Amino acid sequence: DSCKTCPRNRSPTSPGASKEEQCTTCAPGAEMTAGTTENPTCTLCSAGKEKGGANTHKCTECQAGSYAPKAGMAACLKCPRGKYSASSGQSKCEPCAPGSSSEEGATKCTPCGPGHFSAVWGAGSCATCSRHTFNPHEGK
């Protein structure tokens, strides 16, 4: 057997499509907003949204911990270390405040524990207090 071609003016949403419903009329990063499958009107997903994978025909909001900085994104990006997004549909990630840090894809920042600190905005990790110094507080 061989693979079948998607109908005219349509293409698979991702490699490995297994049924005709996975053939879409708009490119990744855009959704059909009007017209027909033979003559679609496609609109780019707005910032904070994505459209890419199999069985995806509409733009969806980025999940918390991720973002889409511009229109037309096929996939949301994970927030980098030191930043977070607490809710879905974000176009940017917020930096962690001094006294906290975060891992990639974070939905919140974690306070630095006793004996550790971060003195800058957007820290990806907390530093350990150096020799002859201490920090008895959490989140400082």
Side-chain angles (χ1 to χ4, degrees):
D1 281 350
S2 63
C3 297
K4 296 180 180 185
T5 304
C6 284
R8 191 173 143 259
N9 293 326
R10 297 173 79 183
S11 59
T13 54
S14 65
S18 60
K19 47 190 160 182
E20 188 173 323
E21 292 80 36
Q22 291 173 305
C23 296
T24 185
T25 55
C26 298
E31 66 182 348
M32 189 172 104
T33 52
T36 64
T37 54
E38 288 76 33
N39 189 20
T41 299
C42 299
T43 303
L44 291 179
C45 298
S46 59
K49 294 185 176 185
E50 68 178 349
K51 186 192 102 38
N55 293 324
T56 304
H57 301 287
K58 292 283 184 191
C59 298
T60 56
E61 288 188 339
C62 297
Q63 295 180 2
S66 65
Y67 70 109
K70 61 184 180 180
M73 300 284 294
C76 297
L77 307 170
K78 286 184 179 180
C79 290
R81 290 174 58 98
K83 295 188 175 188
Y84 73 100
S85 69
S87 57
S88 60
Q90 300 301 305
S91 61
K92 65 178 183 173
C93 299
E94 299 298 327
C96 292
S100 64
S101 67
S102 71
E103 296 292 326
E104 181 182 63
T107 59
K108 64 181 182 177
C109 296
T110 304
C112 297
H116 296 82
F117 72 100
S118 71
V120 297
W121 284 89
S125 63
C126 296
T128 302
C129 291
S130 61
R131 192 171 180 201
H132 305 298
T133 66
F134 70 97
N135 178 10
H137 305 287
E138 184 173 294
K140 299 278 182 174

